[in-house]
Amino acid sequence: MKVTPCVLMAALFSVATAQAIAAQSPAAAGQQPPVELNPTQEVAAEEPKGPSIAVGPAQLRIGGYLGVTGFYRSSSGGGGTGTSFASIPYADTLQGNLSETRLTAQASRITIRVDADFPENAGSRPRFRKLAGYFEMDFNGSVPDTVAVTSTSVGFRLRHAFAEVRYGDSFYLGAGQAFSLMTPQKDQISLWPSDVEMSQAVDTNYLAGMVWGRIPQFRLAWRPGKRFNWAFSLENPEQQLGNNLVTLPSCCASDLDAQYNTGTNGLSVPNLMPDLITRVALNPSPAVHLDFGGVLRAFRHTIAPYDDSDDFTTAAGGASVNGAVRATANTRVIGQFAFGPGIGRYVGGLVPDATFGADSSIHPLRTRSWVAGVEQRLNPTVSVAGYYSGVDTTESFTTDGDGSFIGFGFPGSANSNNRSIQELTLTGSFLSFKSTNRGSAQVSVQYSWLERKPFDAGSGPASAAMHMFFAQVRYNLP
């Protein structure tokens, strides 16, 4: 039998679920506290922790972490702590024959949080119960050409900026930039970053194939109880093709390039409507979590002579499924799967959203991605994890008016047209010090093997592979 990502995840979940069910016997049910691994990249949960400063009726918290990350890559992909999964170099290139080693503090975070409870509104009638606001920034922004020569003055970057209102006991309204609702959840549906299932990876681009994005949005969540949650969001759209990945038809290449994000468009891409996303989370037992989400997108463009007869619009979208099973008191098994036409943006932008016919008609690109992993706490200070993840897509091409191929993945296409990207990752974390009022210190490491395969390798290598090692030493603010 061929072992596919779906088969692998099904096998992991069948074993883990059986163990979890056995562990939920009356004798054992009270002996299984939640698995609490060492701090990940994401630092803020819905429930605030740590000391605060009273600002009138509100509580102010300054958080984040400070540290340095060292990394080694067996080929020179370039950049910082975020790996460019889709463009690792081939062995017949200069970069593919050079390794890279670097130290950087770019991943350090600064967070500002305000929580304001309304105890005077507690009563039988639903009223506003709490307001909260959150900013999070790091230093993975713009990088000057001479950044590593002297002062290493990397750019300040916005990660999260949102406000949340709790109404009564069940309704939550959020507005601002946060993880997309397409991103899998750990437990209940939450706007807060560390409540989202983002793995233990040190790499700031997480894992190849993981569904995520930090996107401006309006979100409404209904949480009548822990067992069932539902949420809906309107999220900032962006129809994207990637940089020189899709061969455009000769009729209108410049028009299409101006209307789809190709890596140089900034905020100038015109979009028809927000992306519409919904998600349901289920917690049938303390050991089992499931959530299901879907996105509806609309792609639109126009071509010369720019009248109504030359407008093209197509709906697309996809779904994601996420699950986590607590097999033992210290073991979690996770699985994520996403699929659909036109969801490349939500898989880290690793594949284009769409291709085009000779008349510029829109063909959303079918994509699927997966993450399967096991996370283990060895003792209160040491945790390890392992993941297998990836993304693959189908070819989508036709012939132009002159008989040449256009689209993605056609015979003779560039080796940047990836058929698949996959990654194997191992992580470990040691919490060397922890204090309620003084924060904590930790060391985290990651090893990954990464491979990408093109639709057509031509006379070049059949694939590109890279070994990566990360080590991070950091101080977590209280």
Side-chain angles (χ1 to χ4, degrees), residues 296-377:
L296 175 64
R297 309 185 66 193
F299 302 128
R300 180 190 64 175
H301 65 257
T302 187
I303 60 175
Y306 313 125
D307 57 38
D308 292 342
S309 64
D310 295 304
D311 284 348
F312 293 82
T313 303
T314 296
S320 71
V321 181
N322 172 59
V325 175
R326 183 156 50 87
T328 72
N330 295 306
T331 307
R332 293 180 73 243
V333 178
I334 66 170
Q336 302 172 10
F337 188 62
F339 56 92
I343 65 166
R345 178 205 185 189
Y346 286 95
V347 192
L350 298 184
V351 295
D353 285 334
T355 64
F356 307 95
D359 62 348
S360 89
S361 54
I362 306 168
H363 305 291
L365 196 59
R366 293 191 173 275
T367 301
R368 66 172 185 165
S369 70
W370 64 90
V371 176
V374 178
E375 300 176 340
Q376 177 73 38
R377 185 179 66 174

Side-chain angles (χ1 to χ4, degrees), residues 40-41 198-207 387 425 427 446:
T40 66
Q41 292 187 44
M198 298 305 295
S199 82
Q200 299 286 309
V202 180
D203 194 319
T204 53
N205 281 340
Y206 308 105
L207 305 173
Y387 307 92
T425 298
T427 69
Q446 173 186 336

